[in-house]
Amino acid sequence: MAPKARGELGEIRTTLATLATNGNAKSEAVVASKRDVFKKIINYMTIGIDMSSLYMQVMTCAVASAEDVVLKKMLYLFISTYAQANPDLTLLTINLLTKDCRDQDPTIRGLALRSLCQLRVANLIEYLMSPIQQGLKDAHPYVRRTAVMGVLKVYHLDSNAVLNAATLETLREMMARDGDAQVVANCMTVLQQAGRAQSFSSRGVVIPLVNRIKEFSEWAQCQVLEAVSGYQPSGEQEVYELMNTLDDRLAHSNSAVVMATVKLFLHLTITMPATHQQVLERIKEPLQTLMSRDHYETAYAVLAHFLLLAQRAPSLFSQAYTTFFCRQNEPSYIKSLKLEILVAVADAENAHAVVTELSEYVGDIDEQLAREAVRAVGRIALDVQDVEGIVERLLGFLDTGKPFVTAEAVVQVRDLMRRFPESAEACIASVSGISPEDLEEPDAKAAFVWILGHYGESIQDAPYLLERMAGEFAGERAGVRLALLTAAVRLFFKRPPECQRLLGAVLAAATADSNQDVHDRGLLYYRLLHAGMAAAAAVIAAPADALAAFAEEQSAELRNRVFDEFNSLAVIFRAPSATFVPPAPHAPLAEEPALAPVAASSAPVGGGVDEGSALLSAQEQEESLIDVSANSSPARPSGAPTAGVAAPAPPAAAGGDLLGLSDLLGGGGGGGGAAAAAAIGPGLGPPQPPPSPSLALAPAPVLAPADFQARWVAMPVAARFTHGLPPATLAAVEANAHQDFCQHAAARGIATMASGGAPPMYRFYFHAKPAGAAARILVEAIVSKPGALASVTIKADDPALGEPFAALFRTCIDTLA
Amino acid sequence: MISQFFILSPRGDTIITRDYLGNVPKGSTEVFFRKIKFWDRGGRDAPPVFHVDGVSYLHVKDGGVLLVATTRENVSPSLILELLRRIGGIIKDYCGLLSEEAVRKNGVLLYELLDEVVDYGFPQNSSSEALREFVLNEPTVLHTSKGKAAAFAGVGRGPTGVIKSVLDTSRADSKGRDEIFVDIVEKISCTFSASGYVQTSQIDGAIQVKSYLTGNPPIAIALNDGLVIGRREGGGAAEFGYGRASDIVQLDDCNFHESVSLERFETERTLELVPPDGEFAVMNYRSTHPFKPPFRVTCTVEDDPHSAFKAIILLQVRADFPADKAASGLEVTVPFPRAVQRVSCEPEREPRPANSQAWDWQERVRKLVWKLRKVAGGSEHTLRIRATLEDGLGAAGVRRGVGPVSLQFTIPMHCVSRLQVRYLQIPKRDKSYQPYRWVRYVTLSSSYVVRT
């Protein structure tokens, strides 16, 4: 393309030169050939070839035939495309444009003014203001519209030029007086862009706009409706009046107008619950009509809002559920959204019908749709638990002969068992029919392993199934390896004789794993087991609590923030606009600056920190352990740790002891292993003394970050322990940027100084103050997600406060609802 | 508002591009197209709205091209997508149709139009007739070889197969004649259960107008007297006092074009409007009230008495609409399970003419498509399909995997909701003023699925 274009460029240049000099510039033939050349130039421009070198020739050619408006328009297009890159040449066009701004024909005046303002060359602004001012007073609305937009163009280049000339005041006046609706709309645009939106939130401005809304174009109507949402009506009476006047906008065929109206109505009635409900009822039908046109793109935008509304008020749409059944030819983005809406509106009454329909999609040729349908059924089984037949459907998917359906179904069944342990029995029979070889996807494998680990006592083959899967340990994804590790340990507590081999193999493989998570967890389990069976069982195999909610679910609070931005991209992206609109220099957490120095200064405090917080110093301990085991366990061939370790394991002993595990991994009781285990031992070993109940904390203590830092360095360590986190707490820690957990703590008089970190590790710094005392208590808590463990270091002015506070803090962790 | 607007060809070439705010880096067209391709390769349709690196991309697909807007603001997605749709509509009105070729041939005209429709990223004037006074370039109207004969051919594209620019009206030649098309287009969705019951059904209809009347005179469109709008909740139709239930046309909800005045709608069911130039929907409506499905389908799977490696599938279609109407382009699609290796078909009766039926076994996707060129109302057609199976399980092995059967069709001059234009009134300016009026009906399948 390029060489040819270069040749063409020369040709065009010659043609232009000939046309500019020869012949009568006014003759039709010449004008026609000029038009042809210009068209060619614009075509090249469009495909991205730089035509700016023709600037002069194009200019000369067009000026010679200035009467031809078609040519003029093409010239303007050319100029506005290349002006920014060629400010010097642009200067030459200014004269032509300013002259045209005074033309007889309003169309030419408007065109010239628009092109003039589009040049985007900052040092030409002095030439712009006077044509604009004139344009604003022009008799023809077309020129005025253009002039108003011109103000915005200049404003973005140099806001002072506009502010100095008091142009915004002129616009405000025009907005109130001008007879042309588009001029008014443009004035609104400019004022709003210039941050003067408050100038149309007064009654005197809003009411006339609402009354003449039908004069506006459909796009401008949206603007008016948006402007009205910024207006505070004087009372309920006025809200009703506004809604009555604008009610017919809901029957508009343009979805943009309807959505803007819906937003306005919802926001107007946000403090009037009964009316709000009526509004929701009112908008139901119009929205459905917009959704069912065959313009899928606009329907998509409407559906995204439907989903938001359905999540806020599921009962509203629960009868209209058939509207959200998928249709054959719909694009996949529509189908996916519809499935989500079906999940949101499913309730005890319609769940059966919805699940029946979803089951049809599971057999669909479209694999992605089938997967989403299985997930949807799983979600409904979680949300609408007490309806007959849903769980059975889900279990039926395990056995459809399609591997991906089975895979999705296993994951869903696992979640169901996590949430409703009482339903486990029904599930186990179906799950145990699965052969691990049928599962290929890591998520499905992990889910299957989880089920075997938690309910292995009811699945006869569980240890052997796990063993088969563990045979491929090294080849699995990290998520599956972690699941295998946990499942092996859990099942070991339940069926020790059968699992000993498995556990040995898995632990050995995990501690030799190159993945940090797998390695650390393997090590942690090993040490816990070393410290004592009872303690290990309490930490690892604590009876699973039924989950109240999954952390992945969008919080209601976030949804409310999105709802505030109804009818915007925020709804489509399901995130507040701050997360995707770039210029927001998002202010970090207020505590954030304190975090870094505190964390840094905690290092030089002394050896204490390294000794105690096992997770922080995992690196060091890991090294020592590996050294020891490598040196002192000759039975372990480095190439095949699994086989090597499993082989010398003693035959199954009936006892609940560690079954020789210490020999197995610690390398014949090598000093390193024991020392490493000892390091963690004190935290877990002896039962804690009963907490003294008398420690009362002052509510909402106040402490400056700098003060915290200074004290942290100065104070002695009062207590240090690790504590398992119940799932609900772990969810709260992760959710909502730690806010949920911090609030929970704050309610108990433990204030947050800083929080941060990224999965799988979070850090928290808290402080508290005993009621009626000057002493301070400072806390560092490091939460590790994979192990669901918190390593807590407590410092206090008075070391005696350590234990009572530790008890209080543990309760705080455990009692999160 | 909008930072850039561009039109891309299906291969990703930029055919039209306009930068309004200059705040999106160059190369956005490539970024956009790469994303689209990414979804495409995964077998998914790219959502109309997505964002990459702080830039939101909104697009609509129309006439084979992609109309795209980029923005850095938190705009109303409905507004931008409707605007893109509208721009597509303007191109149709001016160039006769929207296609890659039409856009390429009319580049300069489209730049002219775009400049008026969007200024500095903000939508301005977008009605086809208001734009006329600012447009100076001549459109190059493409004519497909079929011309007007293809009026109803484009299934799913709507029936207005007239290819004509709004600028033609002002001309003196034969194409410049005054005419107006009023089309009632109904798309029906219907899902049948395995036992033949209608599980869900819906009509999505529109009264589409394409107007080429000089001077834009006001018109009135009168609809059925017995038109009831609103859900059944208010009680039976008889309550409305419209007499026999069969005269009643019930719609759930409807919306109207900007230009429509509803003053006489409540009492006389008459829409008054001054039609703008070009094509637009006067009224969109939706009905979930039961209607008589135009096709009944049965699909049975039987053992072949001679071989366990074969199964016989009988596919029967009955046209359940008046005999004076005929469906065109009926396509019956049946997916088959993996166990089916190949199929052979024979119609129950020899089709006449011989080329009026055809079938196509798409082995890769395991779908059989049975095509019937024309199906008269009341007629019945049966196709015997012998499927060769890879295992010897007979019919039992495949029964679960056959289906669901889906149908595609167009029935001209038929309207399942029974909505009617009683009359179309254009006031006479003088005795010789006799504009052509075309009132047409068509029923299209949107999603017609028979589960098995």
Side-chain angles (χ1 to χ4, degrees), chain B residues 168-211:
Chain B
D168 285 339
T169 350
S170 44
R171 294 191 188 105
D173 57 18
S174 67
K175 294 203 63 206
R177 69 179 179 191
D178 267 24
E179 55 188 344
I180 181 165
F181 299 85
V182 177
D183 297 321
I184 297 199
V185 186
E186 296 197 336
K187 300 200 169 149
I188 52 175
S189 305
C190 205
T191 307
F192 297 86
S193 71
S195 48
Y197 284 107
V198 176
Q199 279 184 323
T200 53
S201 69
Q202 181 166 323
I203 303 170
D204 298 317
I207 303 178
Q208 292 275 355
V209 167
K210 216 170 184 186
S211 164

Side-chain angles (χ1 to χ4, degrees), chain B residues 150-168:
Chain B
F152 288 116
V155 173
R157 292 267 117 233
T160 18
V162 189
I163 297 170
K164 184 171 170 182
S165 166
V166 288
L167 297 174
D168 285 339

Side-chain angles (χ1 to χ4, degrees), chain A residues 20 62 71 221 228 235 303 335 402 443 499 501 583 600 617 622 672:
Chain A
L71 220 47
Q221 290 188 9
V228 182
L303 269 175
K335 288 182 177 168
K402 291 186 188 171
D443 285 351
C499 292
R501 259 165 66 98
S617 56
E622 165 203 326

Side-chain angles (χ1 to χ4, degrees), chain B residues 15 43 46 61 122 130 150 167 177 194 201 206 260 278 298 302 343 368 410 415:
Chain B
I15 335 180
K61 271 187 197 168
F122 292 87
L167 297 174
R177 69 179 179 191
S201 69
V260 177
T298 50
E302 288 163 16
V343 299
L368 179 77
T410 306
C415 171

Side-chain angles (χ1 to χ4, degrees), chain A residues 744-788:
Chain A
H744 172 73
R748 278 154 186 77
I750 305 171
T752 310
M753 176 54 62
S755 66
M761 202 86 112
Y762 302 101
R763 275 165 184 273
F764 291 86
Y765 291 89
F766 299 101
H767 61 96
K769 184 171 173 299
R776 292 282 183 177
I777 302 166
L778 307 183
V779 185
E780 177 195 57
I782 298 165
V783 177
S784 141
K785 188 192 168 194

Side-chain angles (χ1 to χ4, degrees), chain A residues 46 73 142 153 156 186 219 251-253 255 285 289 294 297 327-329 332 357 368 567 569, chain B residues 15 44-45 61 76 82 85 111-112 116 120 126 134 187 189 204 253 256 258 286 406 446-447:
Chain A
T46 300
K73 285 185 109 174
Y142 180 69
K153 295 171 193 171
H156 281 163
N186 287 359
W219 321 115
H252 201 288
S253 60
S255 65
E285 293 285 333
T289 306
D294 69 336
E297 292 89 358
R327 301 209 190 146
Q328 198 194 353
N329 299 325
S332 48
E357 178 75 12
Q368 196 61 33
N567 191 26
L569 293 175
Chain B
I15 335 180
R44 314 295 289 161
D45 305 291
K61 271 187 197 168
S76 154
E82 286 279 356
R85 275 259 161 223
Y111 279 120
E112 238 187 316
E116 302 302 330
Y120 203 49
S126 71
F134 302 106
K187 300 200 169 149
S189 305
D204 298 317
D253 185 48
F256 302 95
E258 185 72 22
R286 183 172 53 86
S406 60
S446 156
S447 168

Side-chain angles (χ1 to χ4, degrees), chain A residues 125-147:
Chain A
I125 285 178
E126 48 183 313
Y127 301 101
L128 298 187
M129 280 322 281
S130 105
I132 288 180
Q133 298 287 11
Q134 259 169 13
L136 290 175
K137 288 183 217 112
D138 201 288
H140 198 281
Y142 180 69
V143 185
R144 292 203 302 278
R145 291 173 199 168
T146 314

Side-chain angles (χ1 to χ4, degrees), chain A residues 97-156:
Chain A
L97 289 169
T98 38
K99 192 175 123 254
D100 283 347
C101 285
R102 294 187 298 270
D103 199 279
Q104 288 289 311
D105 182 349
T107 311
I108 306 262
R109 288 203 299 274
L111 280 173
L113 186 56
R114 189 167 63 211
S115 308
L116 190 64
C117 301
Q118 243 157 27
L119 297 178
R120 272 193 240 155
V121 180
N123 57 10
L124 297 181
I125 285 178
E126 48 183 313
Y127 301 101
L128 298 187
M129 280 322 281
S130 105
I132 288 180
Q133 298 287 11
Q134 259 169 13
L136 290 175
K137 288 183 217 112
D138 201 288
H140 198 281
Y142 180 69
V143 185
R144 292 203 302 278
R145 291 173 199 168
T146 314
V148 174
M149 288 313 286
V151 174
L152 183 59
K153 295 171 193 171
V154 174
Y155 183 84
H156 281 163

